[in-house]
């Protein structure tokens, strides 16, 4: 396929939107980044979505030396946090492509992590989800049901469990923990009860609360038994949803590549425990992601055109 034919991959997330433009030989020609685009229906979500998608695409086109208004892609794949259903119509209005795939952030993350091969990715950032695809193309998920009804093992849940431990100790029916001192010092609250009420205010939205998960990590690494149990339980829950996807998609004894992504996995104790639990099945092998989700979206765009390619050269193809 000629190098003058172009492909687009977009990772639209809660914090930013990244666009990658590639050619028919697997080369990355340009990348661009803009703001978040995970919501369309709420408030000014539509305006923000258009700004993020067009902004990231225009930035990628500038680096590739292309004119966005004159560009029609051979294929485009866009993966969005929050699901694709409310975004497909807008994508059709904003992106000119002969073939367009609009999907979830989990699917492009998996494609990036495994280089397009079958496998499972378990993501644990603010929330958590496991997503997999087998050799037949069948997909399955477990988790990802939001902070009210799910997201076990995610950063918000780690902090929620820490606060529960603090409250139990304060009420006299739980063991002492350094989490109390650490969280109170960090937030400026005087008691666990005051911290609880602080977390219900607008000053502490869910994403801000989730950032405090690093304090749980720190306490666990220092040997705090309560924090270690919280971290260990989170690893167990993440391994459980991973196993649930494995059992839906793969036969017993069939080799399964499992990857992981998200800030929660920066906790070395949690990651080691997660890997140990997943690899207790002799057919499972854990590995860090090969590529970022934006590159995974580009891999899926090539796949939509019948090409089996991996990114070469250019900016940001590899996962950190």
């Amino acid at each position: 396929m000629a190098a003058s034919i172009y492909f687009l991959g977009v990772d639209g997330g809660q914090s930013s939107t990244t666009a990658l433009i590639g050619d028919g030989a697997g080369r990355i020609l340009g990348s661009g980044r803009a703001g978040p685009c995970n919501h369309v229906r709420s408030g000014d979500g539509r305006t923000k979505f258009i700004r993020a998608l067009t902004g990231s695409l225009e930035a990628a086109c500038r680096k590739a030396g292309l004119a966005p208004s004159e560009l029609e892609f051979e294929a485009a794949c866009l993966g969005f946090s929050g699901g694709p259903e409310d975004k497909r119509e807008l994508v059709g209005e904003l992106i000119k492509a002969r073939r367009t795939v609009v999907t979830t952030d989990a699917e492009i993350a998996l494609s990036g992590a495994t280089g397009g091969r079958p496998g499972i990715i378990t993501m644990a950032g603010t929330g958590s989800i496991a997503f997999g695809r087998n050799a037949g193309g069948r997909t399955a998920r477990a988790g990802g049901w939001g902070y009210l009804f799910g997201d076990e093992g995610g950063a918000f849940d780690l902090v929620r469990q820490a606060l529960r431990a603090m409250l139990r100790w304060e009420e006299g029916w739980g063991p002492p923990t350094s989490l109390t001192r650490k969280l109170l010092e960090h937030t400026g609250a005087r008691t666990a009860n005051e911290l609880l009420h602080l977390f219900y205010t607008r000053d502490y939205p869910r994403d801000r609360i989730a950032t405090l998960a690093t304090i749980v990590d720190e306490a666990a690494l220092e040997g705090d038994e309560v924090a270690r149990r919280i971290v260990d339980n989170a690893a167990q829950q993440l391994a459980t949803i991973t196993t649930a996807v494995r059992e839906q998609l793969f036969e017993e004894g069939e080799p399964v590549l499992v990857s992981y992504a998200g800030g929660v996995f920066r906790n070395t104790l949690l990651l080691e425990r997660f890997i140990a639990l997943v690899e207790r099945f002799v057919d499972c092998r854990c590995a860090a992601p090969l590529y970022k989700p934006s590159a995974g979206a580009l891999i899926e765009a090539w796949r939509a055109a019948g090409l089996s390619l991996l990114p070469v050269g250019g900016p940001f193809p590899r996962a950190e």
Side-chain angles (χ1 to χ4, degrees), residues 14-25:
Q14 296 183 42
S15 58
S16 65
T17 301
T18 302
L20 288 183
I21 296 174
D23 66 12

Side-chain angles (χ1 to χ4, degrees), residues 3-144:
S4 59
I5 296 177
Y6 304 107
F7 298 82
L8 173 67
V10 174
D11 171 24
Q14 296 183 42
S15 58
S16 65
T17 301
T18 302
L20 288 183
I21 296 174
D23 66 12
R27 293 185 292 263
I28 294 179
L29 306 177
S31 70
R33 192 172 182 181
C37 65
N38 56 312
H39 294 296
V40 174
R41 294 173 182 164
S42 60
D44 58 351
R46 180 185 174 92
T47 300
K48 288 182 177 179
F49 180 88
I50 293 172
R51 186 187 305 130
L53 188 54
T54 57
S56 61
L57 177 58
E58 288 170 358
C61 284
R62 282 195 299 271
K63 290 185 179 178
L66 301 170
S69 59
E70 302 172 4
L71 190 58
E72 181 178 18
F73 295 101
E74 179 69 16
C77 175
L78 304 92
F80 295 110
S81 171
E85 288 76 14
D86 59 345
K87 304 173 182 72
R88 286 196 173 94
E89 184 177 349
L90 262 180
V91 168
E93 296 173 6
L94 298 171
I95 303 294
K96 291 186 289 185
R98 294 183 62 190
R99 304 172 184 85
T100 303
V101 177
V102 184
T103 186
T104 65
D105 57 340
E107 184 157 3
I108 63 170
L110 173 64
S111 294
T114 66
R117 290 176 292 168
I120 300 170
I121 187 164
T122 300
M123 298 189 292
T126 299
S128 64
I129 188 172
F131 179 84
R133 180 172 55 206
N134 64 17
R138 190 161 62 89
T139 62
R141 62 172 278 184

Side-chain angles (χ1 to χ4, degrees), residues 230-253:
I230 292 172
V231 168
D232 186 73
N233 187 55
Q236 177 69 65
Q237 291 171 322
L238 294 170
T240 297
I241 61 173
T242 305
T243 301
V245 172
R246 169 186 164 274
E247 291 176 348
Q248 291 181 67
L249 294 178
F250 299 95
E251 298 294 332
E252 198 69 34

Side-chain angles (χ1 to χ4, degrees), residues 5 18 26 38 78 82 115 125 167 175 179 183-184 186 203-204 235 299:
I5 296 177
T18 302
N38 56 312
L78 304 92
L167 291 167
L179 289 169
L183 284 169
L184 294 182
H186 189 88
D203 291 335
Y204 274 87
I299 290 170

Side-chain angles (χ1 to χ4, degrees), residues 207-238:
D207 290 349
R208 184 179 180 187
I209 292 172
T211 63
L212 301 177
T214 56
I215 294 175
V216 185
D217 300 347
E218 179 184 288
L221 287 168
E222 291 172 355
D224 184 280
E225 286 301 319
V226 173
R228 287 184 73 97
R229 282 197 297 271
I230 292 172
V231 168
D232 186 73
N233 187 55
Q236 177 69 65
Q237 291 171 322
L238 294 170

Side-chain angles (χ1 to χ4, degrees), residues 184-206:
L184 294 182
E185 287 178 355
H186 189 88
T187 60
R190 291 168 296 180
T191 65
N193 183 58
E194 185 177 315
L195 181 58
L196 169 70
H197 287 85
L198 187 63
F199 281 176
Y200 277 117
T201 67
R202 292 183 178 179
D203 291 335
Y204 274 87
R206 183 167 54 96

